[in-house]
Amino acid sequence: MTRVRLTDVAARAGVSMKTVSNVVHHHPHVSPAMRARVQEAIDELGYRPNLTARRLATGRTGMIALAMPEIDHPYFSELSRSIAEVAAEMGYRVLIEQTLGEAEAERAVIMDREAGLVDGVIFHPVSMTTVEIGKLRRDLPLVLLGESARPLTTDHVMIDNVRAARDGTELLRRTGRRIAFLGTVSHDVTSSTAQRLHGYQEALERAGVPGDTSLVLETGGFRVEDARAALSAALARGLDIDAVLCRDDRFAIGALQALAEAGLSVPDDVAVLGWDDTHLATISTPTLSSIAPDKRGIARIALELLIERIGGHQGVGRHRIAPHGIEQRQSTAGR
């Protein structure tokens, strides 16, 4: 089968090859009418850009790498989708890589594994520290996500976890004074849990509620089962609570299970607030209220920073805070 060339598209659309190239590369100065005319010819002929030729001509591949700890984690999965969709709008394709939070896999992402394949990398580190990332020499443009590492030399995007936890705790304060935090995780190498715990404690302190360490529950891992076991054990010990702030939606599902097994109604007896506003929050019974990072906003900010770096932007790293909100559903309704 003969490969469709740029000249074929230009002939079909009745325009120059330069105009077709401008449309393919998403140059902004092409009029909507001309863009539609060229795109119709592209669709009719089934034209696909030759990435090898593009790289030889421009030094770029039109692809970026996205490195996430777990691609099956609801939050990372949904954020990855947002990044892929926004990247497509900006004319880029996304190569997704899973690191499982392992240090060697993370180092490979920002040192040499993606060299020659992509124009830049969006990376959510877990094990690598701020100092380690800051010391590594990189030829590829890089934007970091999450809370684990924030070197001054590198662009970075996150939400304000402390403020978000404070907002969530203040919402739950309407249900009563005894609010549990579910929870800290043994052997946790991330900093997101610590930031969320800090915001929870700060909100209680501002409200004049005395600290109670029995309300901060520790789990043995990050699974739903770990959260359910931790809360079930606390309830069995006689822990009395009005509400639970959970470190993520998976923990919130575990909380719902533990409370149901203990014969407690949500939200009538205990209110539950999740975190990440993932699909899990909409299909649980009852549906989960959840702190909601603006995933689309995170994606757009990260890609805008990365594309500026790809285009030659120099200078110190830029730190951007994406918006967050709280989606209120049945698990806090009426309290």
Side-chain angles (χ1 to χ4, degrees), residues 52-53 82 106 215 246 284 293 321:
T52 301
S82 292
E106 291 187 350
L215 293 172
C246 302
S284 62
I321 299 294

Side-chain angles (χ1 to χ4, degrees), residues 179-184 193 196-197 200 215-217 244-245 247:
I179 303 169
F181 180 80
L182 181 67
T184 61
T193 305
R196 295 169 191 184
L197 175 61
Y200 156 84
L215 293 172
V216 179
L217 308 180
V244 186
L245 173 64
R247 76 170 302 281

Side-chain angles (χ1 to χ4, degrees), residues 52-304:
T52 301
R54 174 192 289 183
R55 185 175 176 219
L56 290 172
T58 67
R60 300 176 188 172
T61 66
M63 297 185 70
I64 62 171
L66 172 62
M68 289 291 192
E70 303 171 76
I71 59 177
D72 58 348
H73 186 293
Y75 172 73
F76 294 132
S77 173
E78 293 178 16
L79 179 58
S80 296
R81 175 169 180 164
S82 292
I83 290 172
E85 290 175 349
V86 175
E89 294 172 7
M90 297 179 172
Y92 283 83
R93 298 173 64 185
V94 177
L95 176 67
I96 297 178
E97 181 167 353
Q98 177 175 261
T99 66
L100 297 176
E102 297 172 353
E104 286 305 314
E106 291 187 350
R107 292 187 190 104
V109 166
I110 61 173
M111 289 180 70
D112 57 10
R113 181 179 294 169
E114 315 301 348
L117 298 177
V118 298
D119 299 327
V121 178
I122 296 176
F123 172 41
H124 192 297
V126 173
S127 297
M128 293 188 72
T129 66
T130 295
V131 172
E132 185 177 8
I133 293 176
K135 286 181 176 179
L136 287 175
R137 180 182 180 275
R138 294 171 302 275
D139 295 323
L140 281 177
L142 175 69
V143 174
L144 299 178
L145 302 178
E147 302 78 30
S148 293
R150 286 177 280 177
L152 295 176
T153 55
T154 308
D155 294 335
H156 176 255
V157 185
M158 63 180 287
I159 69 165
D160 187 337
N161 280 266
V162 174
R163 181 174 178 179
R166 196 168 65 230
D167 293 344
T169 305
E170 289 170 355
L171 182 147
L172 292 175
R173 279 275 297 124
R174 304 171 193 170
T175 71
R177 293 170 64 86
R178 294 189 60 77
I179 303 169
F181 180 80
L182 181 67
T184 61
V185 183
S186 60
H187 310 296
D188 186 1
V189 297
T190 71
S191 61
S192 56
T193 305
Q195 292 180 24
R196 295 169 191 184
L197 175 61
H198 179 76
Y200 156 84
Q201 293 171 325
E202 190 175 87
L204 294 179
E205 182 179 353
R206 289 185 178 188
V209 177
D212 184 345
T213 57
S214 70
L215 293 172
V216 179
L217 308 180
E218 182 178 74
T219 73
F222 293 92
R223 302 174 306 163
V224 171
E225 295 82 356
D226 298 317
R228 183 184 68 209
L231 183 53
S232 292
L235 294 171
R237 292 193 301 267
L239 183 68
D240 179 34
I241 55 175
D242 299 307
V244 186
L245 173 64
C246 302
R247 76 170 302 281
D248 62 27
D249 285 347
R250 294 194 297 188
F251 275 26
I253 295 295
L256 292 180
Q257 294 174 350
L259 292 165
E261 290 166 0
L264 296 170
S265 174
V266 177
D268 296 332
D269 297 321
V270 180
V272 176
L273 181 61
W275 195 302
D276 289 335
D277 192 34
T278 63
H279 182 58
L280 291 175
T282 67
I283 61 173
S284 62
T285 303
T287 55
L288 274 172
S289 298
S290 187
I291 293 171
D294 182 358
K295 303 181 193 75
R296 192 85 175 180
I298 293 171
R300 188 165 296 280
I301 294 169
L303 283 159
E304 288 173 350

